[in-house]
Tab-separated table of all heavy atoms in Angstrom:
chain	number	residue	atom	x	y	z
A	13	GLN	N	7.540	32.008	13.250
A	13	GLN	CA	7.404	33.453	13.091
A	13	GLN	C	7.739	33.870	11.656
A	13	GLN	O	8.519	33.205	10.969
A	13	GLN	CB	8.328	34.171	14.066
A	13	GLN	CG	7.921	34.027	15.512
A	13	GLN	CD	8.734	34.922	16.436
A	13	GLN	OE1	9.829	35.374	16.088
A	13	GLN	NE2	8.188	35.198	17.616
A	17	SER	N	12.194	29.697	9.437
A	17	SER	CA	12.395	28.554	8.547
A	17	SER	C	11.771	27.301	9.131
A	17	SER	O	11.613	27.168	10.349
A	17	SER	CB	13.903	28.298	8.338
A	17	SER	OG	14.527	29.392	7.725
A	20	LEU	N	10.035	20.544	6.012
A	20	LEU	CA	9.041	19.488	5.971
A	20	LEU	C	9.676	18.221	5.433
A	20	LEU	O	10.541	18.265	4.560
A	20	LEU	CB	7.863	19.877	5.084
A	20	LEU	CG	7.160	21.204	5.401
A	20	LEU	CD1	5.957	21.380	4.472
A	20	LEU	CD2	6.769	21.300	6.849
A	27	PHE	N	6.045	1.664	-2.257
A	27	PHE	CA	6.381	1.747	-3.682
A	27	PHE	C	7.871	2.050	-3.809
A	27	PHE	O	8.531	2.404	-2.824
A	27	PHE	CB	5.533	2.799	-4.389
A	27	PHE	CG	5.775	4.227	-3.948
A	27	PHE	CD1	6.531	5.093	-4.713
A	27	PHE	CD2	5.232	4.709	-2.760
A	27	PHE	CE1	6.744	6.410	-4.318
A	27	PHE	CE2	5.437	6.017	-2.346
A	27	PHE	CZ	6.197	6.870	-3.133
A	30	ARG	N	12.401	5.768	-5.637
A	30	ARG	CA	13.394	6.356	-6.539
A	30	ARG	C	12.898	6.425	-7.993
A	30	ARG	O	13.524	7.068	-8.826
A	30	ARG	CB	14.704	5.577	-6.480
A	30	ARG	CG	14.610	4.144	-6.970
A	30	ARG	CD	15.957	3.440	-6.902
A	30	ARG	NE	15.873	2.062	-7.397
A	30	ARG	CZ	15.563	1.026	-6.632
A	30	ARG	NH1	15.328	1.206	-5.333
A	30	ARG	NH2	15.510	-0.191	-7.137
A	32	TYR	N	9.877	7.583	-8.947
A	32	TYR	CA	8.761	8.515	-9.107
A	32	TYR	C	9.162	9.969	-8.888
A	32	TYR	O	9.926	10.291	-7.975
A	32	TYR	CB	7.642	8.170	-8.131
A	32	TYR	CG	6.901	6.905	-8.490
A	32	TYR	CD1	7.410	5.660	-8.118
A	32	TYR	CD2	5.709	6.957	-9.207
A	32	TYR	CE1	6.745	4.501	-8.461
A	32	TYR	CE2	5.033	5.806	-9.539
A	32	TYR	CZ	5.555	4.578	-9.163
A	32	TYR	OH	4.890	3.424	-9.493
A	36	TRP	N	5.037	18.861	-3.975
A	36	TRP	CA	4.405	19.472	-2.811
A	36	TRP	C	3.270	20.370	-3.315
A	36	TRP	O	3.444	21.139	-4.264
A	36	TRP	CB	5.389	20.309	-2.000
A	36	TRP	CG	6.412	19.514	-1.250
A	36	TRP	CD1	7.688	19.247	-1.629
A	36	TRP	CD2	6.231	18.878	0.025
A	36	TRP	NE1	8.319	18.475	-0.680
A	36	TRP	CE2	7.443	18.244	0.358
A	36	TRP	CE3	5.162	18.796	0.933
A	36	TRP	CZ2	7.634	17.531	1.547
A	36	TRP	CZ3	5.343	18.079	2.114
A	36	TRP	CH2	6.573	17.465	2.419
A	39	GLN	N	-2.570	24.004	0.636
A	39	GLN	CA	-3.976	24.402	0.664
A	39	GLN	C	-4.265	25.157	1.950
A	39	GLN	O	-4.101	24.604	3.044
A	39	GLN	CB	-4.878	23.164	0.570
A	39	GLN	CG	-6.358	23.469	0.484
A	39	GLN	CD	-7.186	22.229	0.246
A	39	GLN	OE1	-6.888	21.144	0.765
A	39	GLN	NE2	-8.234	22.354	-0.565
A	49	SER	N	5.814	22.803	-5.712
A	49	SER	CA	7.110	22.411	-6.240
A	49	SER	C	7.085	20.962	-6.679
A	49	SER	O	6.225	20.185	-6.249
A	49	SER	CB	8.188	22.597	-5.161
A	49	SER	OG	9.480	22.280	-5.651
A	51	ILE	N	9.987	17.598	-8.009
A	51	ILE	CA	11.345	17.123	-8.192
A	51	ILE	C	11.293	15.836	-8.997
A	51	ILE	O	10.379	15.017	-8.821
A	51	ILE	CB	12.043	16.925	-6.825
A	51	ILE	CG1	13.523	16.603	-6.988
A	51	ILE	CG2	11.337	15.846	-5.985
A	51	ILE	CD1	14.319	16.711	-5.686
A	67	ARG	N	12.935	30.928	-2.078
A	67	ARG	CA	12.742	30.790	-0.627
A	67	ARG	C	12.605	29.321	-0.211
A	67	ARG	O	13.010	28.947	0.887
A	67	ARG	CB	11.497	31.545	-0.181
A	67	ARG	CG	11.516	33.026	-0.476
A	67	ARG	CD	10.319	33.739	0.156
A	67	ARG	NE	9.040	33.251	-0.367
A	67	ARG	CZ	8.070	32.746	0.391
A	67	ARG	NH1	8.230	32.641	1.702
A	67	ARG	NH2	6.928	32.351	-0.164
A	72	ARG	N	15.321	15.373	-2.146
A	72	ARG	CA	14.931	14.009	-1.806
A	72	ARG	C	16.158	13.187	-1.464
A	72	ARG	O	17.264	13.470	-1.929
A	72	ARG	CB	14.156	13.381	-2.958
A	72	ARG	CG	14.939	13.197	-4.235
A	72	ARG	CD	14.029	12.842	-5.412
A	72	ARG	NE	13.369	11.557	-5.204
A	72	ARG	CZ	12.265	11.184	-5.860
A	72	ARG	NH1	11.716	12.007	-6.741
A	72	ARG	NH2	11.745	9.990	-5.644
A	74	ASN	N	16.785	9.324	-1.849
A	74	ASN	CA	16.215	8.067	-2.329
A	74	ASN	C	16.650	6.880	-1.476
A	74	ASN	O	15.957	5.869	-1.433
A	74	ASN	CB	16.576	7.853	-3.794
A	74	ASN	CG	15.766	8.743	-4.725
A	74	ASN	OD1	14.744	9.312	-4.326
A	74	ASN	ND2	16.226	8.873	-5.955
A	87	ARG	N	6.492	33.653	5.176
A	87	ARG	CA	5.565	34.776	5.225
A	87	ARG	C	4.204	34.297	5.716
A	87	ARG	O	3.888	33.103	5.618
A	87	ARG	CB	5.412	35.380	3.834
A	87	ARG	CG	6.716	35.766	3.156
A	87	ARG	CD	6.483	36.049	1.682
A	87	ARG	NE	7.715	36.439	0.993
A	87	ARG	CZ	7.837	36.490	-0.327
A	87	ARG	NH1	6.810	36.201	-1.102
A	87	ARG	NH2	8.998	36.851	-0.865
A	89	GLU	N	1.475	34.524	4.299
A	89	GLU	CA	0.740	33.902	3.196
A	89	GLU	C	1.210	32.490	2.864
A	89	GLU	O	0.614	31.821	2.016
A	89	GLU	CB	0.800	34.786	1.940
A	89	GLU	CG	2.189	35.158	1.482
A	89	GLU	CD	2.654	36.506	2.010
A	89	GLU	OE1	2.292	36.876	3.163
A	89	GLU	OE2	3.394	37.196	1.264
A	93	LEU	N	-1.918	24.008	4.746
A	93	LEU	CA	-1.676	22.578	4.892
A	93	LEU	C	-0.830	22.163	3.700
A	93	LEU	O	-1.208	22.437	2.552
A	93	LEU	CB	-3.006	21.837	4.914
A	93	LEU	CG	-2.974	20.337	5.189
A	93	LEU	CD1	-2.502	20.065	6.621
A	93	LEU	CD2	-4.366	19.739	4.968
A	96	CYS	N	2.366	16.294	0.594
A	96	CYS	CA	3.340	15.565	-0.203
A	96	CYS	C	2.541	14.706	-1.187
A	96	CYS	O	1.507	14.123	-0.805
A	96	CYS	CB	4.169	14.717	0.744
A	96	CYS	SG	5.145	13.388	0.022
A	99	ALA	N	3.652	11.654	-8.202
A	99	ALA	CA	3.179	11.757	-9.582
A	99	ALA	C	3.056	10.369	-10.187
A	99	ALA	O	3.759	9.429	-9.802
A	99	ALA	CB	4.138	12.596	-10.414
A	100	THR	N	2.173	10.255	-11.148
A	100	THR	CA	2.052	9.025	-11.914
A	100	THR	C	3.327	8.800	-12.719
A	100	THR	O	4.080	9.749	-12.988
A	100	THR	CB	0.882	9.123	-12.894
A	100	THR	OG1	1.090	10.271	-13.739
A	100	THR	CG2	-0.442	9.273	-12.177
A	102	GLY	N	5.304	8.833	-15.797
A	102	GLY	CA	5.040	9.762	-16.907
A	102	GLY	C	4.747	11.154	-16.394
A	102	GLY	O	4.723	12.124	-17.147
A	116	THR	N	1.916	27.130	10.057
A	116	THR	CA	1.311	28.403	10.448
A	116	THR	C	2.418	29.422	10.664
A	116	THR	O	3.318	29.207	11.487
A	116	THR	CB	0.482	28.256	11.731
A	116	THR	OG1	-0.515	27.252	11.546
A	116	THR	CG2	-0.197	29.578	12.080
Side-chain angles (χ1 to χ4, degrees):
Chain A
Q13 291 189 340
S17 298
L20 306 184
F27 66 102
R30 64 179 181 272
Y32 288 83
W36 289 98
Q39 184 174 37
S49 183
I51 187 167
R67 301 187 298 123
R72 64 192 296 160
N74 285 345
R87 307 167 179 167
E89 55 265 34
L93 185 67
C96 164
T100 57
T116 303

